[in-house]
Structures are given as C-alpha cells and as structure tokens.
Amino acid sequence: MKARTTVLAGLTLSCVALAGCSTGKSTDLGFAAAAQEGAPFTVSQVAGEQAERAYLFCPYTDKAQAEALGFDPDDVYSINDNSQRWETWSGIGVIFSDDRTPAIEWFDPSIIDACPGATTGDPIDVHAPITPTVEPVEFAGDEGPTDVIKLVVE
C-alpha cells in the first residue's frame, strides 16, 4: 500500500507540473485530483449531484460522436487541431441536470488512462465506483516503464 501511495504522490506532482493535466479543450471537473488520491470515487461525488449522465472519451474520438452525446464538438480533439492528443488522450464527459454546460476533462496518457477496455461513448453510471489502479506502461522513447493511473469503472 505504501508503494501505491508513493506512486500516486509522484503522479500528483507530475500532474501539477502539467498545470493540473488541463488543456485548452479540457474542463477541470476534479477527476484527475480524485484519481490521484487513489481511493474509489463516483462521478456524482466529484462533479456534484447535478451530474446526470457521464461518458468515457477515448483516443480517436469523433467530434460528431461527441456532439450526438450532447457535448460541444469544439471540446474534442481532432486530427486537424491536435493529432497527437486525438490519438492518445482520454477523458470523462459529464452532462448536468442544471444550467451548467456539458464538459469533458481530458487526461494526459502518461498520467491517467480513462479507457482501459472501454470505447468512446461508453456510459458511466454517475453513482458507480471508479477505481484508480496504477500500472506500469511502456511508452516509445522512454528509458523504462511509466506508472499510469488506470480508471476502472465498475
């Protein structure tokens, strides 16, 4: 358990160094911080009780697919505006029951993977546990494996 805590603490510092894992298209909904704490969490615990629906966004998300789910297509990476992020970043998108705009929080793949075994558009029960696990991942060009938080939706 101590090793996992140490790994999560190191990943937290990495994410902070990357400005909270945020990007121009990403909204900080709190999922990165919750994942880095290491304990299971739910969408409604993190994004609030007004979180009505949530979806996974995986690499190669199509703007039209995101729009069909209720999200602004400009919040999604494409081959034309950032091909590297389009090919590698994953995220969690939330539709709210109040007047908040639907939002997606995107994750740097060297820190968090929201899509192990999932595909874009897979729904997440807003009350179901999401369990962060840490796994070593080999990235091209790296000297060794990188510990990445994988989000397992139950």
Side-chain angles (χ1 to χ4, degrees):
M1 186 61 148
K2 182 177 180 177
R4 180 176 182 208
T5 303
T6 302
V7 168
L8 288 171
L11 289 170
T12 299
L13 292 175
S14 298
C15 199
V16 170
L18 291 170
C21 296
S22 181
T23 68
K25 295 182 178 288
S26 186
T27 300
D28 182 357
L29 296 169
F31 293 117
Q36 290 161 345
E37 288 178 11
F41 60 90
T42 68
V43 169
S44 62
Q45 286 172 331
V46 174
E49 288 301 318
Q50 290 76 27
E52 183 174 65
R53 297 187 325 256
Y55 300 95
L56 291 172
F57 285 88
C58 303
Y60 302 105
T61 293
D62 181 78
K63 286 180 176 276
Q65 185 179 14
E67 188 173 31
L69 293 171
F71 295 89
D72 184 337
D74 289 338
D75 289 343
V76 176
Y77 296 105
S78 76
I79 194 167
N80 297 319
D81 65 22
N82 192 323
S83 60
Q84 184 178 14
R85 289 185 179 168
W86 175 68
E87 291 179 329
T88 60
W89 287 48
S90 62
I92 297 175
V94 180
I95 305 284
F96 298 96
S97 62
D98 57 14
D99 61 352
R100 284 186 281 173
T101 302
I104 304 169
E105 183 171 349
W106 291 100
F107 309 114
D108 179 323
S110 68
I111 299 170
I112 298 173
D113 177 3
C115 291
T119 59
T120 293
D122 284 355
I124 304 171
D125 178 334
V126 298
H127 302 292
I130 299 172
T131 303
T133 62
V134 177
E135 294 181 26
V137 176
E138 297 277 345
F139 290 103
D142 284 354
E143 293 181 18
T146 300
D147 287 328
V148 174
I149 299 171
K150 305 269 184 166
L151 300 181
V152 179
V153 179
E154 299 180 31

